[in-house]
C-alpha cells in the first residue's frame, strides 16, 4: 500500500493564482515526520519543510503555507500568488519513528506548471 | 563543505555490464541512502546505511549491492545492469538524530542519470 499519496499528477495554473498540492499519508506510528521537497527542472531536490506528528500548527513561509491535519492524514501545501519559478515537481514524504534507519517514503509527485 | 557528491552525472551501460555509482559526503553524517527516481513513481529507497559497516535493504534492493566501509562513502553497485535499472539515482545523507533541531533533514546529491541499453 502506498504510504504517501499525491493524487494530483499534474497541475497548471496561471501566474498569480493560488494553488494547493494535496498529500495524504498512511501510518500506524504515533510519531512520524512529514516533508515537502521541490524538484525544479534542473533536477536537484530542494528541501522545503519538515513537520512532526505532534505539531499540527499550520506554517507559513513567504508565499508558501502548509496545512497539517492528523484527522484526515493530510499535509497539504499551498503556494499563494504563484510565479513561473514555482514550476517544478513537488514531492511529499513520510518518515516513521519506528524505522530502524533512515527510511523515507515519497509520494509520486505533483508536477506544477505556472503559466506566465 | 561540498555536501553530498555523486559521480558520474550521466552513464550509459549495455545490458549485463557492471558499474559503481559513487556517493560521498563530508558532513560526518551517520545515515546514508540510495534512491531511484522513475517517472510516475517518485523516489524509492534502494538501500540505506546507519553507519560504517552497517547496511540494510530498502523498498527496491534487487539488482543492487552496497557497502559502507567509511562514514564518508556509500557506493552503489550494479553487478549486471538491466534496462529496468534505467533511472535517476539520488544519494542522500543525514545525522542519526535528524529529528532534533530545525535543520534540513536529508541532504541530497545532484543525482546520476543512468541509461541501460
Amino acid at each position: 500500500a502506498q504510504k504517501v499519496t499525491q493524487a494530483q499528477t499534474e497541475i497548471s495554473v496561471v501566474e498569480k493564482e493560488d494553488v494547493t498540492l494535496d498529500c495524504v499519508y498512511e501510518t500506524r506510528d504515533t510519531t512520524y515526520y512529514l516533508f515537502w521537497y521541490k524538484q525544479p527542472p534542473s533536477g536537484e531536490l530542494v528541501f522545503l519543510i519538515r513537520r512532526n506528528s505532534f505539531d499540527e500548527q499550520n506554517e507559513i513561509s513567504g508565499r508558501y503555507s502548509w496545512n497539517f491535519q492528523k484527522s484526515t492524514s493530510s499535509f497539504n501545501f499551498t503556494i499563494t500568488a504563484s510565479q513561473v519559478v514555482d514550476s517544478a515537481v513537488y514531492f511529499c514524504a513520510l518518515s516513521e519513528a519506528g524505522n530502524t534507519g533512515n527510511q523515507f517514503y515519497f509520494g509520486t509527485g505533483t508536477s506544477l506548471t505556472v503559466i506566465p | 563543505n561540498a555536501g553530498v557528491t555523486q559521480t558520474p552525472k550521466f552513464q550509459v551501460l549495455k545490458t549485463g555490464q557492471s558499474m559503481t555509482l559513487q556517493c560521498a559526503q563530508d558532513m560526518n553524517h551517520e545515515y546514508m541512502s540510495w534512491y531511484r527516481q522513475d517517472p510516475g513513481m517518485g523516489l524509492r529507497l534502494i538501500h540505506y546505511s546507519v553507519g560504517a559497516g552497517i547496511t540494510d535493504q530498502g523498498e527496491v534492493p534487487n539488482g543492487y549491492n552496497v557497502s559502507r566501509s567509511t562514514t564518508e562513502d556509500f557506493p552503489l553497485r550494479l553487478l549486471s545492469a538491466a534496462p529496468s535499472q534505467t533511472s535517476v539515482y539520488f544519494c542522500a545523507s543525514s545525522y542519526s538524530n535528524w529529528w532534533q533541531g530545525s535543520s534540513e533533514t536529508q541532504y541530497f546529491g545532484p543525482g546520476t542519470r543512468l541509461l541501460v541499453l
Side-chain angles (χ1 to χ4, degrees), chain B:
Chain B
N1 284 349
V4 180
T5 58
Q6 292 184 237
T7 56
K9 290 184 178 180
F10 180 72
Q11 183 72 45
V12 179
L13 290 178
K14 294 181 179 179
T15 296
Q17 286 185 317
S18 63
M19 81 158 295
T20 298
L21 280 63
Q22 301 292 345
C23 174
Q25 52 89 12
D26 61 357
M27 297 172 280
N28 204 32
H29 285 168
E30 297 91 345
Y31 287 2
M32 295 186 76
S33 306
W34 276 104
Y35 295 87
R36 60 177 289 173
Q37 181 180 16
D38 303 294
M41 301 290 287
L43 278 78
R44 292 180 293 170
L45 183 65
I46 304 171
H47 285 285
Y48 65 95
S49 169
V50 299
I54 306 171
T55 64
D56 207 344
Q57 297 181 350
E59 183 183 356
V60 288
N62 292 341
Y64 306 96
N65 282 346
V66 293
S67 60
R68 185 96 180 269
S69 56
T70 67
T71 299
E72 295 78 18
D73 302 300
F74 190 42
L76 179 71
R77 298 183 185 84
L78 284 70
L79 298 179
S80 179
S84 60
Q85 294 179 303
T86 293
S87 187
V88 179
Y89 292 85
F90 287 97
C91 179
S93 73
S94 66
Y95 289 111
S96 61
N97 60 346
W98 55 260
W99 55 85
Q100 298 173 2
S102 60
S103 63
E104 183 169 342
T105 298
Q106 281 201 102
Y107 294 79
F108 282 88
T112 293
R113 189 174 297 272
L114 177 67
L115 174 62
V116 182
L117 303 175

Side-chain angles (χ1 to χ4, degrees), chain A residues 41-58:
Chain A
S42 52
E44 75 272 23
L45 286 158
V46 179
F47 168 81
L48 295 178
I49 190 172
R50 180 185 82 213
R51 175 66 64 182
N52 73 58
S53 53
F54 299 108
D55 184 1
E56 286 193 75
Q57 281 191 336
N58 291 336

Side-chain angles (χ1 to χ4, degrees), chain A residues 69-83:
Chain A
Q69 291 193 339
K70 291 177 73 172
S71 60
T72 56
S73 297
S74 64
F75 186 44
N76 296 338
F77 172 32
T78 297
I79 302 174
T80 303
S82 60
Q83 300 176 0

Side-chain angles (χ1 to χ4, degrees), chain A residues 3-24:
Chain A
K3 284 186 175 286
V4 178
T5 300
Q6 294 180 257
Q8 304 153 308
T9 305
E10 297 180 356
I11 300 177
S12 292
V13 298
V14 177
E15 197 170 23
K16 298 185 182 178
E17 287 184 345
D18 298 347
V19 59
T20 295
L21 310 182
D22 298 332
C23 174
V24 174

